[in-house]
Amino acid sequence: MKDIVRFELNGKSEELQVDPNLTLLWVLRDHFGLTGTKFGCGIGFCGACMVHMDNTKVPSCQLRIGNVNGRKITTIEGLSRGSELHPVQKAFIKHDALQCGFCTSGMIMSATGLLLKNPKPAREEIILELDRNLCRCGAHTRIIDAVLTASTEMNGGK
Amino acid sequence: MDDKVLAPQGISDKKSKPGISRRNFFRFAGGGVFIFFSTWDPVKLLALQTASREEAPPDFNAFLRINEDGTVSGFTGKIEMGQGAVTSLVQMLAEELDVAYDDVDLIMGDTDLCPWDRGTFGSMTTRIFGIPFRQAAAEARAVLLDMGSKKLNVPVSGLEVKEGVITDKNNPGKSVTYADLVQGKKIERYLTTKAQVKDPKDFKIVGKSYTRKDSLLKVT
């Protein structure tokens, strides 16, 4: 059975006929070809599939596409403005806050989600927020530094 | 040109998988200077330790190319999986060839373009693969210097290279770029290991911190 689902994806209105029980993750990857969002554990634990729904982070592997109807979704591909990277993306590059990169988009989506609701988080708040984004390369401390740098930049250097 | 299949040799006791056929290889390759080389069997190499190095196999399982625009591309079946080889191997190439870090790229694990490789494991990319990789770059530099020497009519010893520009030491106005030398040519060399790699004390690029080659792709 297929339903019509309409939602905003990275600033663009989309409409598709789809099995409403598919997860947003696989619709993003298979239908839209947006493979920046990763499949990690598939049970909402690892954070690799994190996207924003209405500016709040959500693991896309836990979200049925039927429930996305009328919502606004942002993925890692939708963060930059043209060729201008989001401050968090820039800070990740500056701090070498990645190795294999598998967790990176989820990390960045969690971090940008945090900065939307709390523009000046303390180090402890960043650690708490990113706690459920797993990275096995060991880039954690660099990731935290990157989020702090981005937060400072977004607050005009303060 | 005969269409024999280039397969890596001296790597496995089993019959090797087919490599890239020469004809197909040169169809995609276009112009430039090509240095082909082979990595040795890491297990054998480690076992031999002090014994003399194996003779370089006649075929290749990696190569580098000085492109017609003077940039450098390395092709290898090794892959980047976060360990940073895509950055560190580029530093090695840039160092030995005296070209800018940004003018070097590495094509890794693309099965259409890259020769067969035994695999990426055991922290061996730098230790085992890095050696012939640097030697190949040094060989390419020697080939280019030789060409530059003929072009400028200055002996190789009187030349220096900086960021892909060969200059007469005694007459800095007299220079030629890698791009000029390579333009419209197709030169093919197999690694002889005669070219001297640089002494670590002369390193300008290796050992320094560079932005990872793969970071932009991974954050977008």
Side-chain angles (χ1 to χ4, degrees):
Chain A
M1 196 199 71
K2 287 189 174 181
D3 279 0
I4 301 271
V5 178
R6 294 183 185 88
F7 66 107
E8 187 187 315
L9 176 58
N10 294 334
K12 206 172 143 225
S13 300
E14 299 287 358
E15 179 182 306
L16 70 156
Q17 206 170 19
V18 65
D19 176 352
N21 289 316
L22 282 177
T23 63
L24 173 62
L25 169 66
W26 290 109
V27 173
L28 288 173
R29 292 183 59 89
D30 290 350
H31 182 83
F32 292 102
L34 297 175
T35 52
T37 305
K38 303 296 184 209
F39 171 78
C41 65
I43 51 173
F45 270 164
C46 75
C49 68
M50 209 65 83
V51 298
H52 294 175
M53 182 160 75
D54 297 337
N55 292 332
T56 303
K57 70 165 188 177
V58 52
S60 61
C61 76
Q62 295 299 294
L63 197 58
R64 290 167 61 246
I65 188 69
N67 293 342
V68 175
N69 205 18
R71 304 299 195 106
K72 181 181 127 183
I73 300 293
T74 308
T75 70
I76 186 77
E77 290 90 349
L79 271 190
S80 55
R81 297 274 164 268
S83 61
E84 177 68 15
L85 296 180
H86 187 283
V88 174
Q89 292 173 310
K90 280 194 264 184
F92 266 63
I93 294 178
K94 184 182 167 197
H95 285 274
D96 269 337
L98 55 97
Q99 284 185 34
C100 85
F102 202 86
C103 73
T104 308
S105 16
M107 287 281 186
I108 291 176
M109 295 317 285
S110 285
T112 48
L114 168 65
L115 295 175
L116 279 172
K117 61 177 185 183
N118 179 2
K120 287 197 74 175
R123 196 175 181 88
E124 291 68 29
E125 291 173 298
I126 298 171
I127 293 172
L128 208 61
E129 185 75 16
L130 296 184
D131 191 44
R132 294 306 282 272
N133 284 79
L134 306 183
C135 164
R136 68 144 292 178
C137 296
H140 296 92
T141 54
R142 287 160 182 259
I143 290 167
I144 296 158
D145 292 342
V147 179
L148 282 168
T149 299
S151 152
T152 306
E153 193 199 320
M154 289 164 79
N155 286 290
K158 278 172 266 176
Chain B
M1 193 182 288
D2 107 41
D3 202 21
K4 86 181 162 92
V5 168
L6 291 171
Q9 296 185 0
I11 286 179
S12 168
D13 51 351
K14 293 191 195 103
K15 194 83 182 146
S16 298
K17 293 186 184 94
I20 300 173
S21 84
R22 290 184 69 80
R23 187 172 293 163
N24 284 339
F25 175 71
F26 279 102
R27 187 178 298 142
F28 90 78
V33 172
F34 298 85
I35 308 288
F36 305 102
F37 60 100
S38 186
T39 48
W40 306 287
D41 182 343
V43 180
K44 272 195 208 159
L45 192 69
L46 290 175
L48 284 171
Q49 289 290 350
T50 53
S52 66
R53 227 174 244 162
E54 281 184 87
E55 216 179 299
D59 284 322
F60 64 93
N61 69 348
F63 63 97
L64 50 110
R65 171 183 182 185
I66 318 302
N67 300 300
E68 289 185 85
D69 62 359
T71 60
V72 178
S73 304
F75 295 79
T76 168
K78 299 276 179 224
I79 56 151
E80 169 65 43
M81 49 183 150
Q83 81 278 38
V86 72
T87 306
S88 59
L89 291 173
V90 160
Q91 285 178 264
M92 291 183 199
L93 284 190
E95 183 72 67
E96 292 298 337
L97 269 155
D98 286 314
V99 292
Y101 171 77
D102 289 332
D103 286 342
V104 183
D105 67 351
L106 206 56
I107 291 90
M108 303 179 93
D110 182 327
T111 49
D112 274 347
L113 300 175
C114 302
W116 184 89
D117 186 89
R118 189 176 190 171
T120 313
F121 56 88
S123 301
M124 292 207 215
T125 299
T126 300
R127 276 191 304 156
I128 308 295
F129 182 72
I131 301 162
F133 205 56
R134 284 179 61 207
Q135 285 169 339
E139 179 99 1
R141 185 179 183 274
V143 170
L144 289 159
L145 269 178
D146 195 43
M147 291 162 78
S149 161
K150 290 192 180 90
K151 181 104 177 173
L152 298 175
N153 211 7
V154 175
V156 170
S157 59
L159 297 173
E160 61 181 4
V161 194
K162 206 177 164 192
E163 303 213 333
V165 183
I166 302 176
T167 309
D168 181 353
K169 281 181 194 163
N170 300 319
N171 182 3
K174 205 168 162 187
S175 68
V176 62
T177 65
Y178 284 176
D180 293 336
L181 292 171
V182 169
Q183 195 71 46
K185 296 201 178 68
K186 188 179 276 184
I187 294 164
E188 181 191 347
R189 289 282 185 96
Y190 284 83
L191 183 60
T192 61
T193 70
K194 276 183 197 143
Q196 189 64 43
V197 293
K198 286 188 184 172
D199 188 316
K201 73 173 163 49
D202 298 324
F203 284 170
K204 295 188 193 80
I205 296 172
V206 170
K208 297 239 165 54
S209 210
Y210 282 82
T211 303
R212 294 178 67 104
K213 283 274 179 188
D214 52 349
S215 53
L216 180 62
L217 278 173
K218 288 177 176 175
V219 302
T220 52

